[in-house]
Amino acid sequence: MTTLTSAPATVPPAAPKGRRMPPWLRAVIVVVIGVLILSVTATLTNQLQLTSRGTMQAAVLLALPILFAALGGLWSERAGVINIGLEGMMVLGTWGAAWAGYNWGPWAAVIGGMVFGALGGVLHAIATVTFNVNHIVSGVAITLLGLGITKYLSTLVFLPISHNPRQSPLLEGFETFSVQPLANGLLAVENQQIAPLSDFAGLIGGLVSGLTPLAVIGFALVPISYLVLWRTRFGLRLRSCGENPVAAESLGVHVFTYKYAAVVISGGLAGLGGAALTLNPGQLGYLEGQTGGRGYIGLAAMIFGNWRPSGLLGGAALFGYVDGVQLRAGGEAVHALLYGASILAVGLALLWVVRRQWKTAVFAAVAGAVVYAIYFTIDTVPREFATYAPQLVTLLVLAAASQRLRPPAAAGVEYRRGEGD
Amino acid sequence: MPAAEFAVELAGITKRFPGVVANKDIDLKVRRGEVHALCGENGAGKSTLMKILYGMQQPDEGTISVDGSVVRFRSPSDAIKAGIGMVHQHFMLADNLTVAENILLGAEGMHGIAGGARARIAELAETVGLDVDPGVLVERLGVADRQRVEIIKVLYRGARTVILDEPTAVLVPQEVDELFETLRGMRAEGFTFLFISHKLDEVRAIADAITVIRRGMSVGTADPATVTSRQLAEMMVGSELPSPETRESTVTDRQVLVVEGLELAGEGGGRALLAGVDLVVRAGEVLGIAGVEGNGQTELVETIMGMRRASAGTITLDGTDLTKRTTLERREAGIGYVPEDRTRHGLLATQSLWTNRILGYQSRSPVSKGGLLGLIDRAATRRDTQRIVDEFDVRTPGIEVAAAALSGGNQQKLVVGRELSGEPVLLIASHPTRGVDVGAQAGIWEELRKARARGLAVLLVSADLDELIGLSDTIKVMLRGRLVADADPSTVTPEELGAAMTGADAAPAPAGAGE
Amino acid sequence: MTRVRTVLLPPALAIVFAALLCAIALVISGDSPFTALAAMITQVGQGTTAIDIVNNSAIYYISALAVAIGFQMKLFNIGIEGQFRLAACVAAIVGGTLVLPPVVHTIVILLVAAAVGAAWAGIAALLKAYRGVSEVISTIMLNFLATGLIAFLIRDEVFGDQQGNNISTTPIPPSGQFPGIPFGSSGTLFGMVFVAALLGLGYWFLLNRTRFGFELKASGESPTAATAGGVNARRMIIIALLLSGAVAGLVGLPELLGRDLAYTLTSPQGYGFTGIAVALLGRNHPLGIALGALLWAFLDKSALALDAVGVPREIVLIMQGSVVLSVVVAYEIVRRYELAAEQRRVAAELRAAAEKVAA
């Protein structure tokens, strides 16, 4: 070792291991804190609608299409295909559901929506998987095509019946049902008006009453998607295509098949989202433009949820809830939410102070102060803004947290068979 | 035990790609229970041949026999069924999946995906010496452990014949020894290995038989017990070997690049990527940086280039402080940069050669006419591109063809030619001859030597220790973001460098895991 | 020759394919494709159709240019829609309020529109450059927010005027309008058509003759290589999106300054998405986009003509959607084929040269 002169090397200490909390416990804690904040807000601002059963029922109905679209995004992106065509597939789904539903009843509508959405998925898969077209380009094109096809078909099929090319005839919907005796019990508690007990009762009551089978399917699909994607062979293979398709292929995984399957399932889910719109008890039938960009919002909810089923459920719930509050209680209730948001910001600031992340804490505190100042200076949020509150929240959340998100490594990346080394 | 003598037999394999014949009438016979080395220089067609054997590509002509019977592989799964597995040079692992998931993928049917699988994985982990929890994400593993995971993947599928594509390229000598121990143990258990390499000493150390291919054709077999490295090399190249040795010293005492106390913080508050790096490169000097990949060499180069922002320290070029400058300003100050991955960092693949001439020079003559809009002087750019093509012997039908149409060696010559244009005072060359053919390699070494003689300062990062020792005037060893040792290239051996690269003599460091 | 083939063949094939698809759809629904085709072709000579097509294509052209600027560096500005609508709305408000001499007034309105479009895109730019937020998602969200903002701005207690069922901004006085060229009964050509042409020229020049254009293309082709070549990725993202937004801001102006003079609740929508489709059709090339814009406007106009002969007008939407989808597939196939062919050609020429030396 004569020619080597070594400098003293210091081995850096290993990073401390963070304490692990089981994910379900975390979720429960987050939900409880959220409800507590809402409860405090509702009480202090006297906006009792914030936690009422009616608001929650509206929220569930509004969240459902977004949830389906978000699940669609999850399936597709986990297999590495970005699906911005969800909107188009959803539009196809609304028509398919209306057509099948008009002819054969509500269950046929569910199937019809799914099949039409899945057809959009097939197109997206052909373009992106077989022909390697840029995923966003293909998604935009499919949305255009989906709009065109639906308009053409409704002129052809619905115009003679409903005398309106933009609308289908009224459909037969699902009967709604409530989980008894839980629903009635909760209602009794809600009517006592004891904070925060009544608030919990109102919110949970909204979840278990006025349900349709489609809502049950939607909520069941969240754990089902998790189990299939993370606990089965099919799911492992599908995710591997989204993480490292070259590796997957080298292990004999037929990447094409899995990507096709994922994108078609994704389309089917988006189509279900369309069916959920068509079968909405408040407005049974196809109506041109009824998706209103919910496919895109579903995608946002999925990103918000960090490409995980539980996360996207949270995202969809947030969208649905703010929408529901806006719809049921109007601008003043949304205004009250600002108050809640400032409480949340202060809470987060304190949390980060405890964790000694000073910069983030200051950021949260300032954000809280700004939101509170807005709350203080205006009396109501103008209707035009209240409508788009969820989009604003998405933008803010992405701005604050996008660097902590973890999309599938190969999402959107071109992949051609046999090209890896 | 099958009766056939040969585990694998390839006969008359021919494979054509657009414009090239990758394999031409190749024969290869591998006996059961031997380590059979396949040698050839980069681009000789080794990898294509192995992809054919592994079913990733189909031969245009020729037959494959396994255990004496002719087979046809339409996909890797056919090959896997026939008991053939492959460990790729570039690991085929999904970072965001766990070790167990990576192993199970595609073979879920064998032992399920729960308890049975876990038991089998634990068993195999012992065979190859992998000591990590199968539940951790692969992204947390070091290189040697990743390779072990790759080998387990193959074994898990019941492979009896294992193709190892350049398995030692990413390992340091000590890890190579460990790998060879594992291979010998498994050979004793009856496994057959096809070992692809162009590192001849390693081949002679491990192989029982050697087949050499050159320019897509098999040129013969050799007995590792009797053949010398020199003879093997000449079979591979077909002529005299070039050597990377530099002649007399041209080092001056003018300090061109001075780096002091350079620090680069880790992402998300992790371990620092660079810590306290000090170095000086003088005019006419080649400073070599040795190190196992992933120890901060890439980060060092990219920080000097301004592609990453240093968290502390200064970078001075010819007395000018560059620490706060942008990448373009650093280039304008006289740094030429040959990146380690030319296709990712050096070239615009679908653009013409002359458009590629602009990259990095978009603000300077002869490419730019200057002015508020920064007009591009297309005629002058084309002329200068033609000059590079002529001077650096870039084999191309013209300067209008897309960069992707050229071979790797010619692409690299274009990059080197471009980066030596505009009279740089410092050249940063990362793995300048990686993945290029021998002819281009010799050409690039010659250009580096000429530039050094003209007084250029060169910072050379390379994984090829022979290249590093041959070209450098001084060598520094990098380990976990620090420069931990100096070496004199005139006396140091690759083994000694390897020891310093793993920190074997400096500090007792845990191997692989714990990154 | 090969160049013409590779550039023109894919769109031609895509159009034929889409037309066939529509013909089949028409036959199935019991209509005659030939009647439809005849109606579509003869409409061009009738009434104001020809001028309308050119006017509309100018709008689509500007929108597609805005998209193409982003596409050049693989930035997907899906937010042209929101940018142009907000810009038109604010420009209408400013234009209707200010009192300025002619020409200056018009120029101020153009500048305001460009600035608003750029500012709205700038939000996405900053989020992308500093927070790593995908511009696809942020611009989609911004589209929604623009809708809300516009609805707020033209409320009658803010800047709007209730007029019957509609709400409108104060009309822009003649000094702020952009004069067109009247063709009598054939209609009036928007003056902004020439602005659109100038923008196309500027786009071509910027892209092919300047450092910015090179850096834009380099960033799109390989962000890593661009960074190593001294291109500041963050700066490029911001400039490209601002520029795209500024051009997008002008999309609504041909109609605003040449015909409508005020922004109303019913002002046209959807040009942003049309722009994406047209940019894809024209493969981001200034001439290609022009042809794409004309085709799109022609198809749009055909809807009315088809209605007149009893063919469902929505067939046009299917035609447009399928043209876009098939053209992107066709371009992709040809691109791959082209590269392989070039590699073959290079290898063959090198072999020939080597043999010549050996001989």
Side-chain angles (χ1 to χ4, degrees):
Chain A
M1 258 310 113
T2 49
T3 52
L4 273 168
T5 49
S6 296
T10 48
V11 181
K17 264 194 177 174
R19 275 170 301 145
R20 282 292 175 106
M21 201 189 284
W24 63 267
L25 186 61
R26 260 175 98 115
V28 167
I29 292 175
V30 167
V31 168
V32 167
I33 291 178
V35 174
L36 282 179
I37 291 177
L38 280 180
S39 163
V40 170
T41 309
T43 314
L44 292 183
T45 61
N46 207 22
Q47 285 289 341
L48 299 179
Q49 286 283 1
L50 283 184
T51 56
S52 76
R53 161 175 295 202
T55 302
M56 201 58 191
Q57 282 179 344
V60 169
L61 280 180
L62 290 162
L64 201 55
I66 298 170
L67 177 65
F68 279 120
L71 283 168
L74 174 80
W75 277 79
S76 170
E77 300 216 356
R78 277 288 168 190
V81 179
I82 293 178
N83 190 354
I84 204 164
L86 284 171
E87 175 74 11
M89 299 171 198
M90 205 166 182
V91 172
L92 285 170
T94 56
W95 190 89
W99 174 70
Y102 175 73
N103 287 315
W104 302 289
W107 281 108
V110 172
I111 309 271
M114 199 160 68
V115 169
F116 265 70
L119 287 177
V122 171
L123 269 184
H124 192 49
I126 291 174
T128 56
V129 183
T130 305
F131 290 112
N132 256 310
V133 171
N134 180 293
H135 299 180
I136 300 199
V137 165
S138 164
V140 169
I142 279 168
T143 302
L144 271 172
L145 190 61
L147 279 170
I149 291 175
T150 9
K151 282 187 185 177
Y152 180 71
L153 288 177
S154 38
T155 311
L156 221 57
V157 177
F158 293 148
L159 181 62
I161 318 170
S162 67
H163 306 291
N164 182 348
R166 299 168 185 279
Q167 210 170 348
S168 76
L170 202 65
L171 300 183
E172 177 201 344
F174 282 116
E175 297 275 331
T176 58
F177 65 92
S178 302
V179 183
Q180 298 297 10
L182 185 60
N184 284 343
L186 288 168
L187 190 62
V189 178
E190 189 186 352
N191 289 337
Q192 299 290 313
Q193 294 299 350
I194 318 162
L197 216 57
S198 298
D199 300 305
F200 272 100
L203 292 173
I204 298 170
L207 281 181
V208 296
S209 58
L211 292 172
T212 67
L214 204 53
V216 177
I217 293 175
F219 290 116
L221 277 174
V222 176
I224 290 174
S225 291
Y226 169 76
L227 289 174
V228 173
L229 285 173
W230 273 271
R231 289 284 176 267
T232 68
R233 147 190 181 154
F234 175 77
L236 172 61
R237 291 185 169 198
L238 191 145
R239 282 185 300 128
S240 74
C241 299
E243 296 290 344
N244 190 343
V246 180
E249 186 189 319
S250 78
L251 294 174
V253 173
H254 207 289
V255 175
F256 267 45
T257 313
Y258 283 89
K259 288 200 171 207
Y260 259 90
V263 178
V264 172
I265 290 173
S266 167
L269 286 165
L272 274 179
L277 283 171
T278 307
L279 291 173
N280 185 331
Q283 208 274 311
L284 283 163
Y286 163 85
L287 180 67
E288 193 178 305
Q290 81 193 123
T291 56
R294 284 188 181 79
Y296 298 123
I297 295 179
L299 204 64
M302 177 208 64
I303 294 172
F304 178 94
N306 199 10
W307 288 264
R308 317 239 356 148
S310 52
L312 68 83
L313 178 63
L318 177 72
F319 276 108
Y321 179 73
V322 180
D323 243 6
V325 167
Q326 196 277 128
L327 213 65
R328 295 276 305 197
E332 283 175 24
V334 177
H335 181 237
L337 280 183
L338 287 177
Y339 185 81
S342 51
I343 299 181
L344 179 66
V346 171
L348 286 175
L350 288 176
L351 178 71
W352 279 314
V353 166
V354 172
R355 289 191 187 168
R356 299 180 180 280
Q357 294 187 351
W358 306 113
K359 234 168 105 181
T360 333
V362 169
F363 179 77
V366 169
V370 169
V371 173
Y372 188 77
I374 296 174
Y375 169 77
F376 196 76
T377 45
I378 59 174
D379 291 331
T380 176
V381 176
R383 190 176 51 80
E384 293 82 2
F385 293 122
T387 313
Y388 297 105
Q391 283 82 349
L392 188 61
V393 170
T394 307
L395 215 49
L396 292 176
V397 168
L398 286 179
S402 67
Q403 276 143 336
R404 298 174 58 178
L405 299 180
R406 172 101 202 222
V413 177
E414 258 188 39
Y415 168 71
R416 266 180 235 157
R417 192 155 179 251
E419 291 226 330
D421 341 53
Chain B
M1 202 70 184
E5 180 187 5
F6 295 110
V8 171
E9 204 176 338
L10 300 178
I13 298 287
T14 298
K15 175 73 183 174
R16 298 180 197 90
F17 288 116
V20 281
V21 182
N23 289 158
K24 197 170 169 187
D25 197 21
I26 290 191
D27 294 324
L28 177 67
K29 292 177 177 173
V30 183
R31 279 194 176 74
R32 176 157 307 287
E34 73 174 5
V35 176
H36 191 112
L38 184 65
C39 294
E41 58 157 320
N42 285 314
K46 294 169 300 190
S47 289
T48 305
L49 188 64
M50 290 305 107
K51 279 185 195 170
I52 289 172
L53 175 56
Y54 189 54
M56 291 173 85
Q57 279 163 352
Q58 277 70 49
D60 297 327
E61 290 161 30
T63 57
I64 303 172
S65 311
V66 174
D67 295 327
S69 49
V70 174
V71 290
R72 256 185 72 93
F73 296 152
R74 276 175 206 86
S75 72
S77 34
D78 292 347
I80 291 168
K81 272 187 216 125
I84 293 173
M86 178 154 175
V87 174
H88 299 265
Q89 179 181 3
H90 301 290
F91 295 150
M92 296 275 188
L93 297 169
D95 278 357
N96 202 17
L97 300 184
T98 66
V99 169
E101 283 177 331
N102 268 288
I103 294 169
L104 285 175
L105 181 61
E108 303 87 345
M110 308 198 60
H111 308 279
I113 59 174
R118 257 201 299 280
R120 179 71 183 139
I121 289 173
E123 214 173 286
L124 291 173
E126 191 135 343
T127 314
V128 302
L130 178 74
D131 183 27
V132 297
D133 173 8
V136 304
L137 294 183
V138 161
E139 66 183 357
R140 298 170 59 111
L141 265 50
V143 175
D145 277 344
R146 282 170 187 240
Q147 189 169 59
R148 292 191 183 100
V149 174
E150 284 283 17
I151 296 175
I152 295 180
K153 263 164 67 176
V154 167
L155 300 184
Y156 192 85
R157 288 159 174 72
R160 302 297 297 169
T161 303
V162 181
I163 305 167
L164 298 165
D165 189 2
E166 306 264 4
T168 61
V170 292
L171 303 179
V172 291
Q174 285 71 12
E175 288 169 337
V176 170
D177 291 342
E178 285 176 32
L179 173 69
F180 284 0
E181 264 328 294
T182 308
L183 296 189
R184 287 194 190 98
M186 291 172 63
R187 176 174 62 188
E189 291 175 33
F191 287 97
T192 309
F193 290 98
L194 245 166
F195 184 92
I196 305 177
S197 182
H198 61 260
K199 294 191 178 169
L200 305 177
D201 295 330
E202 290 173 1
V203 167
R204 293 196 307 129
I206 187 75
D208 303 306
I210 301 175
T211 298
V212 178
I213 64 175
R214 182 169 81 226
R215 289 199 191 152
M217 290 181 280
S218 38
V219 291
T221 55
D223 178 359
T226 55
V227 73
T228 67
S229 288
R230 188 101 200 147
Q231 287 167 326
L232 261 185
E234 281 169 12
M235 282 173 80
M236 273 166 58
V237 179
S239 63
E240 286 275 296
L241 273 184
S243 99
E245 266 162 55
T246 44
R247 287 91 194 174
E248 72 288 353
S249 171
T250 56
V251 182
T252 64
D253 51 12
R254 185 164 67 89
Q255 299 190 335
V256 174
L257 175 72
V258 180
V259 173
E260 281 172 339
L262 198 64
E263 309 263 344
L264 183 66
E267 278 153 39
R271 184 165 61 82
L273 297 168
L274 293 176
V277 173
D278 296 302
L279 60 86
V280 173
V281 191
R282 296 175 179 78
E285 179 185 35
V286 176
L287 175 67
I289 303 285
V292 181
E293 274 181 57
N295 272 278
Q297 302 94 311
T298 306
E299 288 79 5
L300 173 65
V301 166
E302 293 185 357
T303 309
I304 296 176
M305 283 310 296
M307 295 157 67
R308 292 169 183 261
R309 191 179 298 181
S311 37
T314 58
I315 297 162
T316 317
L317 187 75
D318 258 349
T320 318
D321 185 1
L322 292 183
T323 316
K324 298 228 182 307
R325 302 291 181 81
T326 64
T327 303
L328 191 65
E329 285 166 340
R330 293 178 199 218
R331 281 175 158 276
E332 285 167 350
I335 305 183
Y337 174 38
V338 178
E340 64 177 68
D341 184 344
R342 64 180 160 272
T343 51
R344 267 171 58 78
H345 290 105
L347 291 168
L348 304 170
T350 68
Q351 302 285 334
S352 65
L353 300 191
W354 70 265
T355 308
N356 272 288
R357 172 68 181 87
I358 303 175
L359 191 65
Y361 296 80
Q362 57 269 39
S363 59
R364 276 181 278 171
S365 151
V367 167
S368 169
K369 285 186 200 164
L372 191 66
L373 280 170
L375 294 189
I376 302 283
D377 189 338
R378 292 152 67 100
T381 307
R382 285 203 176 91
R383 271 198 306 277
D384 201 60
T385 311
Q386 190 60 51
R387 173 191 67 80
I388 292 174
V389 166
D390 295 341
E391 281 182 19
F392 289 81
D393 188 29
V394 181
R395 309 270 169 85
T396 169
I399 58 171
E400 296 289 342
V401 301
L406 298 190
S407 72
N410 284 311
Q411 289 177 347
Q412 189 72 347
K413 283 191 276 189
L414 180 75
V415 172
V416 171
R418 181 182 70 197
E419 299 302 329
L420 287 173
S421 307
E423 291 168 4
V425 292
L426 171 72
L427 180 74
I428 299 180
S430 272
H431 309 280
T433 62
R434 175 178 282 180
V436 308
D437 54 286
V438 170
Q441 187 178 42
I444 289 166
W445 283 338
E446 188 52 35
E447 292 299 338
L448 289 181
R449 261 185 237 117
K450 275 197 284 188
R452 165 179 172 270
R454 285 197 304 267
L456 186 76
V458 179
L459 182 67
L460 174 70
V461 175
S462 180
D464 181 342
L465 297 185
D466 294 325
E467 174 176 84
L468 210 54
I469 293 171
L471 285 177
S472 304
D473 297 297
T474 318
I475 293 178
K476 285 180 181 291
V477 179
M478 198 154 199
L479 176 66
R480 281 185 227 130
R482 295 169 181 276
L483 293 177
V484 293
D486 290 327
D488 178 351
S490 57
T491 50
V492 76
T493 66
E495 286 67 31
E496 287 168 335
L497 269 186
M501 283 156 63
T502 47
D505 64 329
E515 285 284 311
Chain C
M1 189 57 218
T2 42
R3 185 137 178 82
V4 172
R5 201 178 61 204
T6 54
V7 170
L8 291 184
L9 195 63
L13 278 180
I15 291 170
V16 170
F17 176 73
L20 270 179
L21 213 67
C22 290
I24 293 169
L26 285 177
V27 169
I28 291 173
S29 66
D31 296 295
S32 158
F34 299 104
T35 321
L37 188 64
M40 285 167 77
I41 291 170
T42 49
Q43 61 148 345
V44 177
Q46 293 163 354
T48 61
T49 307
I51 296 283
D52 285 346
I53 288 176
V54 176
N55 280 345
N56 275 344
S57 61
I59 296 168
Y60 301 160
Y61 188 63
I62 300 175
S63 175
L65 283 181
V67 176
I69 292 170
F71 272 178
Q72 286 293 347
M73 73 171 284
K74 302 239 166 78
L75 280 175
F76 293 91
N77 184 358
I78 312 281
I80 307 288
E81 181 74 13
Q83 289 146 24
F84 105 79
R85 291 182 58 213
L86 189 65
C89 175
V90 175
I93 292 167
V94 172
T97 318
L98 288 180
V99 181
L100 286 170
V103 183
V104 178
H105 198 166
T106 310
I107 290 175
V108 167
I109 294 175
L110 288 174
L111 290 179
V112 166
V116 173
W120 200 245
I123 298 174
L126 293 178
L127 284 175
K128 167 105 180 167
Y130 290 97
R131 306 298 303 169
V133 179
S134 154
E135 77 284 0
V136 176
I137 294 298
S138 64
T139 53
I140 288 173
M141 294 299 124
L142 284 167
N143 281 345
F144 287 108
L145 294 178
T147 306
L149 196 53
I150 291 167
F152 176 75
L153 286 176
I154 62 173
R155 264 159 77 148
D156 53 2
E157 68 264 36
V158 188
F159 290 110
D161 271 326
Q162 186 84 37
Q163 288 170 340
N165 266 339
N166 207 347
I167 304 180
S168 160
T169 59
T170 315
I172 297 169
S175 60
Q177 296 167 14
F178 205 119
I181 300 172
F183 280 86
S185 64
S186 300
T188 303
L189 195 67
F190 288 151
M192 283 286 287
V193 169
F194 299 99
V195 174
L198 277 179
L199 282 173
L201 208 62
Y203 168 79
W204 173 84
F205 183 81
L206 196 67
L207 209 59
N208 293 301
R209 290 289 186 271
T210 68
R211 171 179 158 189
F212 173 77
F214 170 79
E215 295 191 334
L216 193 68
K217 281 189 288 187
S219 308
E221 160 108 33
S222 165
T224 46
T227 307
V231 179
N232 183 333
R234 191 174 274 177
R235 196 173 136 255
M236 288 310 292
I237 289 170
I238 294 176
I239 297 181
L241 276 177
L242 285 180
L243 209 55
S244 171
V247 175
L250 302 177
V251 169
L253 296 199
E255 289 179 333
L256 183 68
L257 300 185
R259 190 186 71 201
D260 298 347
L261 308 182
Y263 196 89
T264 72
L265 266 187
T266 53
S267 276
Q269 300 186 12
Y271 294 157
F273 293 105
T274 305
I276 297 175
V278 171
L280 293 175
L281 280 180
R283 212 182 188 183
N284 305 327
H285 188 279
L287 278 182
I289 297 175
L291 292 176
L294 281 169
L295 174 69
W296 205 270
F298 164 75
L299 288 173
D300 267 357
K301 269 283 149 193
S302 303
L304 285 176
L306 289 177
D307 235 12
V309 295
V311 174
R313 57 195 293 173
E314 285 77 13
I315 192 72
V316 166
L317 296 169
I318 296 190
M319 175 87 187
Q320 289 174 332
S322 48
V323 161
V324 173
L325 199 59
S326 37
V327 91
V328 290
V329 169
Y331 277 140
E332 191 55 43
I333 295 172
V334 168
R335 191 180 70 82
R336 233 187 287 175
Y337 172 81
E338 244 177 298
L339 190 64
E342 174 140 293
Q343 278 167 340
R344 257 198 309 276
R345 193 171 60 79
V346 168
E349 284 185 31
L350 287 180
R351 232 189 349 262
E355 275 157 18
K356 218 196 272 167
V357 169

